[in-house]
């Protein structure tokens, strides 16, 4: 499975395409289960890039764990969670609050 990720141009925050827009959490990102769905997500990312909404647009591997979408690669897990040196900063801090 693949999901679409990018960085929002206005502030650099890592975002994932979900429910027709860009979300700051990966939990419910739209999943591509086949090549046609991947092509659809790539077209969405290309348009968003052309419209100066996002940069660094990529399709990445993902799994669903307990009903929640999770990136496969460590790099993408870190982008989804935030800084690795302090758990009181970034997205992991927001989830704990």
């Amino acid at each position: 499975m693949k999901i679409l990720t990018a960085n929002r141009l206005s502030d650099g925050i890592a975002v994932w395409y979900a429910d027709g827009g860009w979300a700051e959490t990966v939990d419910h990102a739209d999943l591509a289960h086949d090549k046609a769905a991947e092509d659809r997500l790539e077209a969405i990312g290309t348009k968003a890039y052309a419209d100066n909404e996002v940069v660094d647009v990529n399709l990445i591997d993902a799994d669903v764990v307990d009903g929640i979408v999770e990136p496969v690669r460590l790099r993408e897990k870190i982008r989804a969670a935030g800084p690795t040196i302090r758990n009181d900063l970034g997205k992991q801090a927001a989830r704990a609050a």
Side-chain angles (χ1 to χ4, degrees):
M1 290 178 281
K2 302 274 188 184
I3 57 178
L4 184 65
T5 186
N7 290 85
R8 194 168 44 212
L9 190 58
S10 62
D11 58 9
I13 296 292
V15 291
W16 293 264
Y17 190 78
D19 299 323
W22 295 98
E24 291 186 13
T25 59
V26 69
D27 303 353
H28 301 289
D30 290 0
L31 287 165
H33 295 278
D34 56 30
K35 180 66 171 140
E38 288 178 18
D39 291 344
R40 182 184 70 81
L41 287 178
E42 280 188 328
I44 290 167
T46 299
K47 182 176 180 340
Y49 177 80
D51 291 344
N52 291 318
E53 295 175 27
V54 294
V55 295
D56 194 24
V57 180
N58 292 290
L59 278 179
I60 62 167
D61 293 321
D63 286 327
V64 177
V65 179
D66 296 326
I68 302 295
V69 178
E70 291 186 3
V72 171
R73 291 183 56 221
L74 179 60
R75 174 187 187 272
E76 300 304 331
K77 289 177 186 271
I78 292 169
R79 287 182 71 240
T84 58
I85 56 170
R86 290 186 52 190
N87 291 334
D88 61 327
L89 299 174
K91 295 176 183 178
Q92 71 270 25
R95 287 186 181 145

